[in-house]
Structure formats: C-alpha cells, structure tokens
Amino acid sequence: MITLSEENYLKAILSINLNTNSVVSTNEIASNLNTSAASVTEMVKKLQDKKLVIYEKYKGVNLSKKGREKAIEILRKHRLWETFLVKKLDFSWAEVHDIAEQLEHIKSKKLTDKLNHFLNYPIFDPHGEPIPTKDGTIPKTKRITLNKMPLNSKGIVMGVALDNKEFLDYLTKLQISIGTKVYAIDRISFDQSMKIKINNKLEHISKEIAQNILIKIN
Amino acid sequence: MITLSEENYLKAILSINLNTNSVVSTNEIASNLNTSAASVTEMVKKLQDKKLVIYEKYKGVNLSKKGREKAIEILRKHRLWETFLVKKLDFSWAEVHDIAEQLEHIKSKKLTDKLNHFLNYPIFDPHGEPIPTKDGTIPKTKRITLNKMPLNSKGIVMGVALDNKEFLDYLTKLQISIGTKVYAIDRISFDQSMKIKINNKLEHISKEIAQNILIKIN
DNA sequence: GTACAAATTTAGGCTTGCCTAAATTATTTT
DNA sequence: AAAATAATTTAGGCAAGCCTAAATTTGTAC
Ligand SMILES: [Mn+2]
Ligand SMILES: [Mn+2]
Ligand SMILES: [Mn+2]
Ligand SMILES: [Mn+2]
C-alpha cells in the first residue's frame, strides 16, 4: 500500500527530475513540498525500503522503475482530471489545479481508463502539458519559452510552464490562451522584459511571465 | 478543518441515525466503521469539541446542526459521484460504491455544484437512493421492502437498501434492476423466503435478499 | 590543505488515529 | 435487589508524518 503522502513525494521527485534531468536533492524536494529537509530525509528512507526510490545518503534521490511508474500514473490522473474539469464541467484553466491535486489520488485503474475514454483520449491537458499514456510514456513536446523567441518572429502559445492561479488569471486578462498567436517585437536588455503583439495589441510582459509561456515557432 | 476520518465518522452517524431514528451508540458506530469502540469514544469526544455532535457519556451520540449539514454534504457528494460513474463513465451499479467512498471527500463546493449541473440535477442515485439537495434536505421516498409485499400484488423496484457488490451482482444476474416489475407470488412461512415473478420468470429469493429490495406498490 | 559555509542527517518531540486490556457504568436475569 | 452480562470508557502504547535544534558531511574559498 502506498500512502497519499508517499504519492506526493514521488510526484515531487518526478517533477523536479523532469526539470533538472539529474539526481534530486533533499532540499529541492523540501521546497517543492513546502516541508522541512528533515522530513524529506525520513520519507526518502521509507520510500527506499519500499523500493520506490534509489537513495544514497548525502548524494540525492532518484526514482526506481517502480517509483517512476507510480509517479507517472499520478501525473496522468492529475492531467486527465484537469481536462475533465475544464472540458466537461466548464471550469477555467486557472481553477482546476487544486481540485486535481485531490482527484489525482483516487485509486482505481478502471476509473482512469474510463475517464480517458470519456474525454476521447486527450493528448494535452488544459495548460498544454502532455498527458502520460497508459503505458507510462510522457509524450515529448518541443517548445521554447517565450523569452527565448527570436525578435521579429512569430509563434503560437502551446502551453504554460506554471500552474498557478494568479499567473493564469493574468494571462487570461491579457487574452493569452492556448493557440494564441504571438509576435516577438522587442526585448529590453535591462530586465529581459519583452514587448509582444497579441490579437493586434501591443503588450509588455516581464521576464518572469515570458519564461512561463511555452511557444511553438514555425 | 475537518479531517477525512472525521468525515467518515459523521457519515456513519448519519447513516445509522437515518435507519434507527434514535440516538446512536458507540458500538453501532464501531461496527459500521469496522473499528474499536474505544476509538469511537475518542473520536466522538473530538467531534464534540468541534461542535459537530452532541454526546453524553454512556448515553450515545447525535449530530449537531453543523454536523448533520456536513454529513449530508458528504452523502450528497457520494451519490452524485455514483451517478456520474454510472451515467457518464458507464460503470455498473455494483462497481461504484468503493470509488465514491473516495470521491465523496473531494473538497470543492463549486465542483459539487458543477457536477450536479452536468448530471442534469439527478434526484436518485444508481441504487435508487435520494440525492440530498444543495440546501441539505433528503427527499423523502415511500417504499416498502419486497419481503413486506402483500401476496398476489404487483410492484416496481425503486431501489436497494444495500450497496454491496455481491448483492448487486446477484440482482443483476436475476435481471432485477431499477424499474423492474415484480409480482409477489408466495411467502414460505418457514424461512420467510419468497417466490416472485420477474420478466415472466419465476424466482425464489431468500428473506435477506427480499429485505434489501425497495418496492413501490401501486 | 585548512577553514568556513551550506546541505543533509540525526535526535528528540508532537499530533492524529488506531489498538488491546482493564476499569467502570448500564442493563438484564433471576 | 443482587448478580451476571453487556456496553462503554479509560489507560497505556504504537505507527505515520510532521517539526526544530543539534550534529555531521560535503563543497568552496583561501
Ligand atoms: Mn495542475
Ligand atoms: Mn495542468
Ligand atoms: Mn454507495
Ligand atoms: Mn448509492
């Protein structure tokens, strides 16, 4: 049996590992889960006993095959439920994360499969993130962050790298959503903020915002 | 904040109270939740501190107004989710209880409301049980159990009094479901078993089965 | 290579929920 | 109305997850 807490640790480790592509440190997990490093050390030892992670004292943690499978399963459920909430229940993309944080822990393989079928086998979640497939692969996407767009080039918003309500509400206010066409006009060298054109309107966005918008360039 | 465990206790107390219409004993709760009487006493004290129950030592427990509201909210979610699973995801009525036991704890008023809307404001769950309304009332139903049907009378199956997989699978095998017409042919006085006619077939069912089938008579 | 700083682990403690066994109170039986 | 039995509560303990403070290890600077 794998507890809710253990599931959250596995998910955090996966998420950090997908970003850094390297071994995961105690501190990174602690900050991701808003908990103390001491608690992480404790839990990581338990996960090791259960063969869910590979852990070397003072060196860091990696998911085992079994642990990775479990983590991806949770990520899959999270993104399927988010898709359900937006597509079927008419929630906005900014509202669904916290609810999906709860729903991702519902245990029933059959439920996950039926939900997937009901949603017509979606490939991306409402934030443009790829939904892991049943066999545990995460579809690769090649996208760049808006702050890396060449000037005077155009692109299409494919997703966001941050599932945070304030951020998403702000994008909505700017009328930025998935599929929106973007033209990169200028990058201010002082603060790396960017001037862009969206729906024929000129906007000025901070580096922090630009870093979290994922773009496909033609 | 109300914990998952507390929610399960409140739900158990409500469920017993709806059946017996009287004060609820420690032992009844313990057997309903498959836990020890000592644990129940402990928890009941905590619930009292939180003003969720009214409790008198050695006498028994009753839900407070606030506790009843909470319990009904959970029951509402349970039955809405069961309805979702059967109506939208195509689960059988025998499969949904355990999943709904998990889903009923998801915290989001908005989700409950949107689910209700998505399901088109259902009145009964897949087992024929009334779904509490948003304002916390449980629609009254007047039904008798099949074992109390007068002989040579006819009725319609409106629901079941037991949400147990084996029981429901057996009913399905007998081709008994909600809406099925039933004729009461005979009652064997020795064991109170009954001979009934369903879909033009004669069946013989035990008292225990008959007691858990809810009938509307004309 | 030693000294200092940062990261990590260990120690000791707390809360929640659970348990069994013993004590107490309530209910039946005679 | 005792005595016996049943129901309930109290006592004492345990595991899971969390915390802070102290100790240890590792990495960096000189
Ligand atoms: Mn999310
Ligand atoms: Mn998402
Ligand atoms: Mn049920
Ligand atoms: Mn039901």
Side-chain angles (χ1 to χ4, degrees), chain B residues 25-27 41 45 55 57-58:
Chain B
S25 78
T26 309
N27 257 358
T41 302
K45 284 191 209 160
Y55 166 57
K57 237 186 180 187
Y58 290 106

Side-chain angles (χ1 to χ4, degrees), chain B residues 16-75:
Chain B
I16 296 163
N17 184 255
L18 288 175
N19 279 333
T20 64
N21 292 310
S22 71
V23 76
V24 176
S25 78
T26 309
N27 257 358
E28 285 171 318
I29 300 171
S31 101
N32 183 298
L33 291 177
N34 244 269
T35 187
S36 73
S39 297
V40 173
T41 302
E42 252 186 308
M43 179 58 94
V44 152
K45 284 191 209 160
K46 285 180 204 158
L47 293 173
Q48 187 183 35
D49 291 345
K50 294 192 175 184
K51 312 267 185 236
L52 291 164
V53 302
I54 294 134
Y55 166 57
E56 219 180 324
K57 237 186 180 187
Y58 290 106
K59 295 294 169 54
V61 194
N62 246 307
L63 292 169
S64 70
K65 185 162 182 293
K66 191 174 144 202
R68 189 166 215 272
E69 280 167 10
K70 249 295 155 204
I72 287 178
E73 201 179 306
I74 300 160
L75 187 64

Side-chain angles (χ1 to χ4, degrees), chain B residues 14 18 68-81 83 112-113 116 121-125 129-140:
Chain B
L14 176 66
L18 288 175
R68 189 166 215 272
E69 280 167 10
K70 249 295 155 204
I72 287 178
E73 201 179 306
I74 300 160
L75 187 64
R76 171 171 160 80
K77 286 191 278 182
H78 183 102
R79 292 179 178 170
L80 281 173
W81 279 116
T83 306
T112 309
D113 290 344
N116 186 35
Y121 310 101
I123 295 172
F124 297 102
D125 86 356
E129 294 298 313
I131 299 174
T133 59
K134 190 179 177 179
D135 66 29
T137 55
I138 305 177
K140 282 271 169 290

Side-chain angles (χ1 to χ4, degrees), chain A residues 11 75 78-79 82 93 96-98 100-101 104 125-127 129 162-164 168:
Chain A
K11 193 166 54 115
L75 187 64
H78 183 101
R79 292 179 177 170
E82 283 191 346
W93 70 346
V96 297
H97 182 75
D98 292 345
E101 286 290 304
E104 72 192 5
D125 87 355
H127 311 102
E129 294 297 314
L162 182 66
D163 194 347
N164 169 89
L168 295 171

Side-chain angles (χ1 to χ4, degrees), chain A residues 26-27 41 45 55 57-58:
Chain A
T26 309
N27 257 359
T41 302
K45 284 191 208 158
Y55 166 56
K57 239 185 177 187
Y58 290 106

